[in-house]
Amino acid sequence: MAAELGVGIGWRPEIDLTVERLPGVGFVEVIAENVTPARLPESLSVLRGRGVPVVPHGVGLGVGGADRPDTRRLGHLAGCAEALGAPLVSEHLAFVRGGGMESGHLLPVPRTRDALEVIVENVRIAQESLPVPLALENVAALFGWPDDELTEAQFLAELVERTGVGLLIDVANLYTNQVNLGLDARAALDALPLDRVAYVHVAGGHAHDGIWHDTHTASPPDDVLDLLAELCARAAPPGVLLEWDDAYPSDRALDGELGRIREAMARA
């Protein structure tokens, strides 16, 4: 059973005092690669002292590649989890490197049976190395691989069944893939094992030349919040978190965005 987290926000050093001031924050998420377990930012210690759970969120593990997970990166994630007293760790189901070269982006994995076998083993290795449960996030994509044998929802469902890994469902990424690739976001919600959701991401972005860019620098559009409501109508997620990574608005505006998330959840 996933921990009950409530409504939260991504902690960033640029808005550390804002996060501390926001009322009703149930939990926060910190980018694992941006903190050192032995020297945690004071703001995170303040939040932990108030009983606010802190979830390390990795961006560089790369469980979607052919290489086995890097032991140094796994050690860092484990150290973050222990230092923060985290209830879980989250990462992306993505390809990020190969042959010693970094992609510089969270790329979609080929959804083939062969890739699934590799990723199942990568996930099991990661789970054995972490002191807390692992949840994997669906990614936003600008392209799809031509030889996919499974939908994203089918791929994730089988991965969950075979490994017991949790899911971090990003409804903004589902929306991005619907706009850019024509993938039905609601059909994905119908097919995903929502009973394995650890928490949910919500974020905004910008459209440019018919392409939706998931920038995390704007208010989540109503379509994304509608997807959140759709998800909540199917299952009650333990937590929902707002991501905002740059061009930060005022405290009042961020509080209002958390209010919009609560309203969307209440619609269910």
Side-chain angles (χ1 to χ4, degrees):
M1 179 68 70
E4 289 297 326
L5 299 169
V7 174
I9 188 169
W11 184 93
R12 304 292 184 265
E14 296 88 347
I15 54 169
D16 55 353
L17 296 181
T18 293
V19 174
E20 291 178 34
R21 289 190 293 259
L22 286 172
V25 170
F27 73 114
V28 300
E29 178 191 80
V30 60
I31 302 301
E33 286 80 357
N34 292 347
V35 296
T36 301
R39 298 187 301 277
L40 294 175
E42 177 63 23
S43 178
L44 292 179
S45 299
V46 168
L47 291 167
R48 287 189 61 220
R50 296 177 184 171
V52 176
V54 181
V55 176
H57 182 55
V59 297
L61 187 58
V63 296
D67 297 332
R68 295 308 181 200
D70 181 76
T71 56
R72 179 182 59 82
R73 293 177 185 275
L74 279 173
H76 180 77
L77 279 174
C80 287
E82 291 170 344
L84 292 166
L88 75 155
V89 167
S90 60
E91 247 290 357
H92 299 82
L93 177 57
F95 177 88
V96 299
R97 72 181 59 83
M101 297 182 66
E102 298 287 330
S103 68
H105 196 73
L106 296 167
L107 299 176
V109 301
R111 294 191 295 270
T112 64
R113 291 288 175 187
D114 287 344
L116 181 60
E117 292 300 322
V118 173
I119 293 170
V120 163
E121 184 59 27
N122 286 348
V123 170
R124 287 174 176 160
I125 290 170
Q127 289 171 314
E128 291 171 0
S129 302
L130 296 171
V132 294
L134 172 67
L136 292 178
E137 178 182 354
N138 58 300
V139 300
L142 292 175
F143 68 90
W145 295 105
D147 298 322
D148 284 348
E149 299 168 357
L150 302 165
T151 67
E152 182 176 46
Q154 290 170 334
F155 195 94
L156 285 167
E158 189 161 338
L159 182 62
V160 166
E161 181 180 0
R162 294 178 60 179
T163 65
V165 72
L167 291 179
L168 164 50
I169 298 300
D170 191 316
V171 291
N173 289 352
L174 291 179
Y175 173 74
T176 300
N177 294 345
Q178 178 170 280
V179 173
N180 295 346
L181 303 177
L183 303 176
D184 190 320
R186 285 170 175 77
L189 290 177
D190 288 335
L192 285 165
L194 298 182
D195 60 319
R196 292 296 302 170
V197 172
Y199 64 107
V200 175
H201 272 174
V202 174
H206 297 280
H208 182 70
D209 292 336
I211 300 295
W212 184 260
H213 297 273
D214 182 47
T215 61
H216 302 177
T217 59
S219 178
D222 289 341
D223 287 342
V224 168
L225 294 179
D226 288 345
L227 283 175
L228 173 62
E230 290 275 357
L231 186 155
C232 293
R234 292 161 170 76
V240 179
L241 183 129
L242 172 67
E243 292 186 291
W244 206 300
D245 290 339
D246 202 355
Y248 300 103
S250 66
D251 292 17
R252 183 175 181 179
L254 284 175
D255 186 40
E257 296 298 341
L258 297 181
R260 292 178 68 220
I261 288 173
R262 295 186 182 100
E263 289 169 3
M265 295 171 69
R267 275 191 262 152

